[in-house]
Amino acid sequence: MGFSRGLQRILCVAALFAISCGDESTTSVPTPDNNTSDMSPDSGVDSGELCPDACNDGDACTQDECVEGACVHTYDAAACCTDDQCEIDGACVDNGAPNPENSCEVCLVVSDDAAWTPKADAGGCDDGNACTSNDTCVDGVCVGQSFQCDDGNPCTDDTCDGAGGCMFANNTADCSDGDACTDGDTCVEGACVPGPGLSCDDSNPCTADSCDPALGCTFVPDDGATCTDNSVCTEASVCLAGECVVQEVVSCDDNNLCTIDFCDAVDGCDHEDISDRCTDTNPCTDEACDPALGCVFPFNTDPCDDNNLCTTVDTCTNGACIGSPVNPDDGNPCTDDTCDPAVGVIHVNNTLACDDNNACTVGDTCADGGCQPGTQPLSCDDNNLCTSDSCDPATGCLNEDISDTCEDNNPCTVNFCDPDTGCGFTVVQSFTCRPIINITYPPRGATILGPIGNGITVTGTVDSGAGDITTFQINGQDVTPNQNGSFSLTLVPDAGANTLEFSASDELGTEEYRVQAFHYSSAFTNPTTSGQGNVNPGLGIYLAQDSIDDKQSPPPTDLAAIFKGVLDGFDLSSFFDSDTPIASNSGYDIYLTSLDFAGSTVTLDAIDGGLRVRASLNQIEGGLYFDCTAFGCLLAGGDSNGGLDIDSIVITANLIITVNPDNTLAVSVNNPATSVNGLDIYSNNIWTNFLLGIIEPFIRGGLVSDLETELNTQLSTVLGPLLEDGLGALAFNQVFSLPRLDGNPPPIDIALESDFSFSDFQDASPGPQGGAFGLRAWATSTTRGTPNADPFNANLGVPMRVGCGAGQQMVIPKAAPLEIVFADDTINQILRAAWWGGLLQFPVDPALLGNVDLAQYGVTNLNMDVSGYLPPVATDCVNGELRLYIGDLRIDATLDLFGQPVNAEVYVAFDAPITLAANPNSGDIEIIIQAIENVKLEVNVTNEPALGVESALASLLETQLVPALGGLLGNGTPLASFPLPEIDLSASLGQPPGTSLIRIVPINDAGLPSSRQSGNTVIYGRLQ
């Protein structure tokens, strides 16, 4: 408040300078705050009666007055309180001055300059109450402590008189005089007056009664004192522990269980009859009382009620009410009959199964208290299709035999009735009662020549004595025979082996299956004489540069070794006649007496069209004889000897390799050149040595010219043919033996022959550098092993691989040091030669079947003869894999099957994977046939009584005998093998045959291309 007032003053002083704090007569505008009750002069109220109090604004710094009914507050600086004063209720109070109305409050400017502040200390004060003392200020209020006016006398009422003194007034209250033997003490004139004495008699003869002023009444037990309970029923009573204890009791027992005995204290013993209390509420007992036994209840046989409506004729029996059970059965199976003891017999309708007395209904059910027939008739089906089932209401089901209705009057059936399947039949096993498929074209073992892509028409007939043919298929294609049973179907055959499968079934379900094969192509080869019917090209040979010249020596593992061997064997002396002078000059005839060299080096490089040869004869030494023919030389010493040294003679030429019209190799020498390097001639005669400067050019001219001429002649006449022979040795011209499948001698001799068809040499640009040869190839058997009859005589030969991709083209990968390529057509020539030699013509000894235990299949006396109507054919045209196909393999068999003699004619077709590969150990080329697959079997039992075992025989053949026969073809072991070609250098080196050989070693490198290349098998190798 002080701060705010000082601020107000500062602002006012500032305002005085600006506006002189208002006009000279400042008037406050009346507001609701400063005059809420003023009334205007026109209000009719005397304003002089309202203003004096109503205009006080509580501000000591203003003069408050009422002017014409409005409060006017004029500031008066002289009337304002100072800074060390409190302005309280419009009055100025000095700092620290007490409140005249409350000595516990003071003016404390620093705390509140507009209100009284409670005194901070607890100084003395007076609360104006005479009944308090030690008055003290607490929170601005004077508080005193009340004092007591107790005089310690219960017979006075103590109070404060309010003037500082106590007052004690007598009362008549109850009090205690301190004596427990008085009762009803009362205050009289300020003192406690005793009441009358206490009565301590407890009316107990067994206690001694007295009164103790401190304790009051006491009752001490008088044990042993005699006493009486005033009862005639007791005798000899004595006090014990303050109680009168009875020593003896009078006996009132009358020995009668039908009375209650008691004693009355005044009248003595008495006996009350209780016979009427013998009740047990059981109607089946009589109630009585026996003085000796008490209550007794003997059984009776009175009629009674057991309160059970489910019994009748209730009678007391052995103390119980027992009735006979009521029979609730009303004789109706469609009611549930029960009895409720409280209600009696109850009949409730049910829905149980019942019998309506009709044997032909089932599922009879109770409804509305009656038996209703079932909704389903009785099923009289005895699950026997050979009976006619019906129902008689009185007797029930009837099942009549109807087997005789199964007769179909078909002579090819035996009719029967099976309870489970009904009418059935078995087909009579006969040649008549089965489908017969007769093929008129193509015949078995046919070889058909025709354009690739053209169709052939398969014709024949199919019928059955058992009924109509219902289904007929050729190679899975449905065919509908004509009315007379004839049929035809045009098929487009594959080039090579083809199989026809025929299946027929008649209306009796009898089936017939036939399989036969034929070969088809637009060209066949039939090599019967040497060179005819060849496959061109049927073989391919490739020599990479490393096989021509590996630039290493020794050993001789390339063609360059052939040249080196020949050159090393040259006798240079034979090039000259020692009796003929090589020069005549300066009185001398000069003779070459010897000419030798230390060794040779040869390099061969493939070039377009052939080979580039560079041969060097090294470190040549020769002997010279100088024959003096003039007088002058005689003077100089006459005849003399000498010699010559040549560092090397180098011969270069192009060897062009071509094929002659007769299919032999031709090597021609082009651009030969010879150079003599480092020639030195000397003599042991001084004069001759002197003359050498004159005659040496003549010696050199004659010698070098003769050497060049002779060496060029050697290239053409010796080395050229030698190369022809060396390369020609790579051709296959050999006879190898193939064991017969039955193991009997003699083996089948097969001649595999070839000659040259083309030559293709290339240099390193664009490469690969090397030479390739294409060869005509053919294979024949030296002896015939097939029957001299058709279809063998009509066989056209090997079906050529045409119409399969690009057809049979020679593909040489040129990726290995040496490659030998066999065309599939060549492989088939080998297979046909083996067939022609009798590979598939042999009797089957059961021992050939290996581990097949014929006895466990019921087979005894087995004899089989095998005859292959068609040669095996290998082709990859079907699914890309080279596979061997054999069809129309006929087996004639006789055997006993479970004691039944069986004669059978069987035709088999199957295929198997086949490979041509070189054995890395032996180096031989092997033809390997794997396990046979996709066996197709036609079995024809030819003796009618054995037709019933035809299917069992077919299963035995398919699962056991045919796979065993197929195993004879190799089953993963080589069927045939023949050696790889080799180059024999022995003759060229002047050695016995077979001394120096260059062999072909097979290699198997994962980085090489596939061994199968578009109808060709490639064998990779190197020279060794």
Side-chain angles (χ1 to χ4, degrees), residues 519-611:
H519 291 173
Y520 185 89
S521 180
S522 61
F524 285 80
T525 59
N526 188 6
T528 56
T529 59
S530 180
Q532 295 183 354
N534 60 71
V535 179
N536 187 13
L539 290 170
I541 298 175
Y542 174 70
L543 298 171
Q545 176 61 42
D546 283 351
S547 295
I548 295 172
D549 185 359
D550 61 6
K551 310 303 182 184
Q552 298 178 9
S553 180
T557 58
D558 51 27
L559 296 183
I562 299 175
F563 282 77
K564 176 173 172 50
V566 173
L567 290 177
D568 286 346
F570 274 2
D571 181 7
L572 295 182
S573 297
S574 65
F575 293 174
F576 301 91
D577 183 1
S578 59
D579 295 329
T580 302
I582 60 173
S584 295
N585 194 276
S586 301
Y588 286 96
D589 288 334
I590 304 169
Y591 298 88
L592 181 64
T593 60
S594 65
L595 189 64
D596 299 304
F597 63 98
S600 65
T601 57
V602 179
T603 61
L604 285 177
D605 292 289
I607 60 175
D608 290 346
L611 298 172

Side-chain angles (χ1 to χ4, degrees), residues 198-212:
L198 287 174
S199 173
C200 291
D201 185 4
D202 59 1
S203 299
N204 184 353
C206 288
T207 61
D209 304 331
S210 62
C211 185
D212 186 314

Side-chain angles (χ1 to χ4, degrees), residues 846 849-860 862 956 960-961 964:
L849 301 179
N851 296 324
V852 179
D853 182 5
L854 297 176
Q856 70 171 327
Y857 300 104
V859 176
T860 56
L862 174 64
L956 175 63
Q960 301 297 326
L961 302 186

Side-chain angles (χ1 to χ4, degrees), residues 142-273:
C142 186
V143 179
Q145 299 177 349
S146 299
F147 59 87
Q148 302 293 326
C149 291
D150 186 5
D151 60 358
N153 184 355
C155 290
T156 60
D157 295 328
D158 307 330
T159 61
C160 180
D161 61 5
C166 291
M167 295 185 298
F168 307 101
N170 294 333
N171 58 37
T172 57
D174 292 339
C175 62
S176 174
D177 63 356
D179 186 351
C181 292
T182 61
D183 186 27
D185 302 341
T186 306
C187 289
V188 177
E189 296 181 354
C192 187
V193 178
L198 287 174
S199 173
C200 291
D201 185 4
D202 59 1
S203 299
N204 184 353
C206 288
T207 61
D209 304 331
S210 62
C211 185
D212 186 314
L215 301 175
C217 289
T218 60
F219 309 98
V220 180
D222 187 8
D223 293 343
T226 60
C227 59
T228 179
D229 58 0
N230 299 317
S231 172
V232 299
C233 298
T234 62
E235 297 176 350
S237 300
V238 179
C239 290
L240 179 64
E243 298 290 336
C244 187
V245 179
V246 176
Q247 298 294 312
E248 297 180 9
V249 178
V250 175
S251 174
C252 293
D253 185 7
D254 60 359
N255 295 317
N256 185 350
L257 295 178
C258 294
T259 62
I260 296 176
D261 305 326
F262 61 93
C263 184
D264 183 78
V266 177
D267 297 330
C269 289
D270 199 357
H271 308 283
E272 180 183 357
D273 186 2

Side-chain angles (χ1 to χ4, degrees), residues 842-846 849 854 861-866 891-895 906 957 961-962 965:
F842 59 93
V844 178
D845 188 325
L849 301 179
L854 297 176
N861 301 322
L862 174 64
N863 293 286
M864 290 195 300
D865 287 291
V866 174
I891 303 174
D892 291 302
T894 63
L895 67 150
V906 181
L957 286 166
L961 302 186
V962 172
L965 287 175

